[in-house]
Amino acid sequence: MSGEDNLLRLVEAEDGDENNYHLQDQVGFILRKAHQRHVSIFASHIGDLTPPQFAALAKLYDIGETSQNQLGTLIAMDAATVKGVIDRLKARGLVEVSKHEVDKRRLLVNLTPEGREAIERLIPLARTITEETLAPLTAKEAATFLRLLAKLA
Amino acid sequence: MSGEDNLLRLVEAEDGDENNYHLQDQVGFILRKAHQRHVSIFASHIGDLTPPQFAALAKLYDIGETSQNQLGTLIAMDAATVKGVIDRLKARGLVEVSKHEVDKRRLLVNLTPEGREAIERLIPLARTITEETLAPLTAKEAATFLRLLAKLA
DNA sequence: CTGATATCATTTGCATACGAATGAATTTGA
DNA sequence: TCAAATTCATTCGTATGCAAATGATATCAG
């Protein structure tokens, strides 16, 4: 038996479960599953829009016209991702784009009337989605969870 | 005015900001950002493997040979997704697949010696990744967070 | 004023993620 | 037993998500 084996046995003896790596205890894995569950709940309430698409509309509704790049920063999407999201919203007539008068690099994005109508209609559903996502927790637990989650995001 | 409207007005009166929908307060949005941050931390420590690929290797290391479908269930991936993950791990020689002797529908998946060596080498890094992901929280907060997160996943 | 830098947007390539449809094999139930 | 239902895997289509490269424009520094 090698020295490494001996050491390993000592470690095992101390801990009892040192060798066992349990995926389901890792924060990344649980985070991924919780996110999956939320997306599924979202889809069950809002079937014709994805969470990123909803985020883009909601942010435009909140702050008004802005550049594609700035919008991406605000909703945590890189330039390549936000372009795809905006392209699809544009194809559906929910947003419209225009060139910035001064800075010719910028692409301005804004809600269309249809987009505004859509997001106003959907925001109440989004509140329901949030409630359902947090339903396994008590109100106090939910508050604690959101506070700690925000620290990690 | 309906009863619902009345209730809503009461809530608004209590809250004072009912009309304003803030994306950054929604659990789904924060969950998405926290997940993004974790993936980024993961990539900074383990550049040549994605979290889903790591999950597949870790689970195979934990339970040994299993069917592709069963593996997918254990690591929370649907059949289409797990196929892609296994295909890429197979192409890199980290897993090998074989046909189930009895049930000819099943595709058995197992670690290769290289895959086993890889996951044993990476598990300590994964512990570091978990620590770094939870670093913004105190030990007590982290324990609370994991407990509540697990309830949501 | 101008060359170096920085910013904005686009494109490509790769990797999840999932719904839906399909085909093969197995299990169930009348 | 045998038709119906189920399970396993694959394929297709669509939608994030990000790294890297590129081009256009704007800003900065000397």
Side-chain angles (χ1 to χ4, degrees):
Chain A
M1 188 190 292
S2 74
E4 278 83 1
D5 284 341
N6 243 326
L7 181 58
L8 186 58
R9 278 170 182 258
L10 283 174
V11 172
E12 284 176 12
E14 281 173 8
D15 183 299
D17 200 19
E18 186 68 14
N19 259 9
N20 253 338
Y21 176 83
H22 295 301
L23 193 64
Q24 25 283 124
D25 299 334
Q26 304 304 307
V27 64
F29 183 71
I30 319 177
L31 218 37
R32 174 170 152 268
K33 287 214 298 176
H35 181 248
Q36 281 178 355
R37 173 170 168 274
H38 171 261
V39 172
S40 171
I41 291 171
F42 187 101
S44 74
H45 289 273
I46 301 181
D48 62 343
L49 223 52
T50 65
Q53 289 167 1
F54 176 87
L57 295 183
K59 185 52 75 176
L60 287 174
Y61 183 65
D62 188 15
I63 66 166
E65 185 175 66
T66 187
S67 76
Q68 185 173 282
N69 208 51
Q70 174 67 8
L71 179 62
T73 299
L74 293 170
I75 58 180
M77 287 178 210
D78 72 7
T81 301
V82 77
K83 182 185 192 310
V85 172
I86 293 303
D87 279 354
R88 286 180 285 275
L89 291 175
K90 188 173 53 179
R92 291 175 53 178
L94 300 177
V95 304
E96 57 194 357
V97 302
S98 56
K99 290 178 181 173
H100 191 287
E101 292 290 322
V102 178
D103 188 338
K104 295 178 182 174
R105 295 169 305 179
R106 293 189 195 170
L107 191 67
L108 294 175
V109 187
N110 206 354
L111 293 177
T112 61
E114 294 75 22
R116 178 169 294 270
E117 186 278 330
I119 191 62
E120 286 176 349
R121 180 172 48 81
L122 293 175
I123 281 177
L125 296 182
R127 297 189 195 279
T128 303
I129 290 166
T130 291
E131 281 175 24
E132 187 170 331
T133 299
L134 294 173
L137 306 182
T138 67
K140 190 177 177 180
E141 284 176 334
T144 301
F145 177 73
L146 286 174
R147 181 174 61 82
L148 298 180
L149 182 62
K151 280 188 165 188
L152 291 191
Chain B
M1 187 190 293
S2 74
E4 280 82 0
D5 283 342
N6 243 326
L7 181 59
L8 184 58
R9 277 171 181 260
L10 283 173
V11 171
E12 284 176 14
E14 284 172 5
D15 184 298
D17 198 21
E18 188 65 17
N19 262 7
N20 254 336
Y21 178 82
H22 295 299
L23 193 63
Q24 12 290 116
D25 297 336
Q26 305 304 307
V27 64
F29 183 71
I30 319 177
L31 217 38
R32 175 169 151 269
K33 287 214 298 178
H35 181 248
Q36 281 178 355
R37 173 170 169 273
H38 171 263
V39 171
S40 170
I41 291 171
F42 187 100
S44 74
H45 289 274
I46 301 180
D48 62 341
L49 222 54
T50 65
Q53 290 168 1
F54 176 87
L57 295 183
K59 185 53 75 176
L60 287 173
Y61 183 66
D62 188 16
I63 66 167
E65 185 175 65
T66 187
S67 75
Q68 185 174 282
N69 207 52
Q70 174 66 10
L71 179 62
T73 299
L74 294 171
I75 59 180
M77 287 177 211
D78 72 7
T81 301
V82 77
K83 183 186 190 310
V85 172
I86 293 302
D87 278 354
R88 285 180 285 275
L89 291 175
K90 188 173 55 179
R92 291 175 52 176
L94 299 177
V95 303
E96 57 193 358
V97 302
S98 56
K99 290 178 182 173
H100 192 286
E101 292 289 323
V102 178
D103 188 338
K104 294 178 182 175
R105 295 169 306 177
R106 294 189 194 170
L107 191 66
L108 294 175
V109 187
N110 206 353
L111 292 176
T112 61
E114 294 76 20
R116 177 168 293 271
E117 187 276 330
I119 192 63
E120 287 175 348
R121 179 173 47 82
L122 293 176
I123 281 176
L125 296 183
R127 297 189 195 278
T128 303
I129 290 166
T130 291
E131 281 176 25
E132 188 170 332
T133 299
L134 294 173
L137 306 182
T138 67
K140 191 176 179 182
E141 284 175 333
T144 301
F145 176 74
L146 285 174
R147 180 174 62 81
L148 299 180
L149 182 63
K151 280 188 166 187
L152 292 191

